[in-house]
């Protein structure tokens, strides 16, 4: 009835109720996000997708929960978060950060890093946990996503994924027909 202009609800009452409903919806959405990631973690850990004859947990999530493949990928990424981000994951469970923040932080550790370089990156990230949580609690998801991309670029062996952001570097890029181009 709040949206119906023909209803005789006084404007101050309608505004108060609308604000309360909005706040309650936000709290409920955050709780649902925590339950969704927890449930996805359990289904992935138990390999439920194999029982149903599906090739991946992401496909299983999309099929059985009615969400898109990209949303299923996002949920699976957050459900299988690298152990280095456990304090950040706990901040999500405690509802201090949003699902979007948790998703963004999963992208910091460059996947191409292996061996000692990966160990060094993990050690650096482990030391940044509280700072990451502080930045996330004070930033929108979009702002935090940009922040995480900047951190990833600093850790990446091959530099920033967008080389145009730093004009004082050199980078290689694969072109068509499996050729390489060097730009500086």
């Amino acid at each position: 009835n709040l949206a119906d202009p023909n209803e005789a609800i006084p404007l101050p009452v309608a505004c108060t109720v609308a604000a309360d409903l909005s706040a309650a919806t936000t709290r409920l959405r955050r709780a649902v996000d925590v339950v969704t990631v927890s449930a996805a973690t359990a289904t992935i850990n138990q390999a439920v997708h194999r029982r149903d004859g599906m090739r991946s947990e992401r496909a299983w999530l999309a099929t059985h929960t009615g969400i898109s493949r990209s949303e299923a990928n996002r949920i699976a990424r957050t459900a299988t978060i690298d152990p280095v981000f456990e304090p950040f994951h706990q901040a999500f469970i405690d509802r201090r950060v949003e699902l979007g923040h948790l998703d963004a932080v999963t992208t910091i550790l460059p996947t191409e890093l292996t061996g000692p370089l990966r160990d060094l990156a993990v050690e650096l990230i482990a030391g940044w946990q509280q700072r990451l949580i502080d930045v996330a609690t004070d930033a929108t998801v979009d702002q935090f996503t940009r922040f995480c991309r900047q951190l990833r670029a600093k850790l990446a062996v091959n530099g920033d994924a967008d080389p145009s952001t730093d004009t004082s570097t050199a980078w290689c890029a694969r072109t068509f027909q499996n050729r390489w181009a060097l730009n500086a």
Side-chain angles (χ1 to χ4, degrees):
N1 292 340
L2 291 174
D4 186 355
N6 297 322
E7 286 292 320
I9 298 174
L11 185 59
V13 172
C15 289
T16 301
V17 171
D20 290 346
L21 282 173
S22 181
T25 301
T26 299
R27 287 191 304 273
L28 183 59
R29 181 188 48 79
R30 292 184 82 191
V32 167
D33 286 346
V34 170
V35 170
T36 300
V37 170
S38 298
T41 302
T43 60
I44 290 168
N45 289 343
Q46 297 300 318
V48 172
H49 66 284
R50 289 191 190 126
R51 184 197 67 198
D52 290 349
M54 300 189 82
R55 293 185 336 173
S56 76
E57 59 269 350
R58 288 159 167 77
W60 188 93
L61 285 169
T63 301
H64 291 285
T65 61
I67 59 177
S68 69
R69 283 293 270 241
S70 63
E71 184 66 12
N73 286 335
R74 179 179 171 201
I75 297 294
R77 231 183 358 260
T78 57
T80 57
I81 193 166
D82 192 288
V84 72
F85 296 111
E86 187 52 40
F88 199 92
H89 184 259
Q90 189 59 48
F92 167 71
I93 298 296
D94 296 341
R95 298 188 189 124
R96 291 184 286 152
V97 298
E98 302 284 343
L99 179 59
H101 294 113
L102 182 61
D103 184 45
V105 83
T106 64
T107 66
I108 292 175
L109 189 59
T111 55
E112 71 270 10
L113 293 181
T114 58
L117 286 176
R118 186 180 192 289
D119 296 341
L120 178 59
V122 166
E123 185 179 323
L124 288 169
I125 292 169
W128 297 339
Q129 287 296 315
Q130 190 54 52
R131 176 73 177 132
L132 290 171
I133 294 167
D134 292 344
V135 170
T137 56
D138 293 334
T140 66
V141 171
D142 290 338
Q143 291 168 334
F144 189 68
T145 300
R146 283 191 295 277
F147 177 77
C148 291
R149 282 188 194 132
Q150 291 169 348
L151 285 178
R152 181 185 176 93
K154 302 267 187 251
L155 293 172
V157 173
N158 295 327
D160 197 337
D162 181 9
S164 65
T165 61
D166 185 358
T167 57
S168 63
T169 60
W171 66 93
C172 287
R174 182 172 278 179
T175 63
F176 62 93
Q177 296 178 344
N178 213 17
R179 295 179 185 225
W180 289 89
L182 174 65
N183 296 297

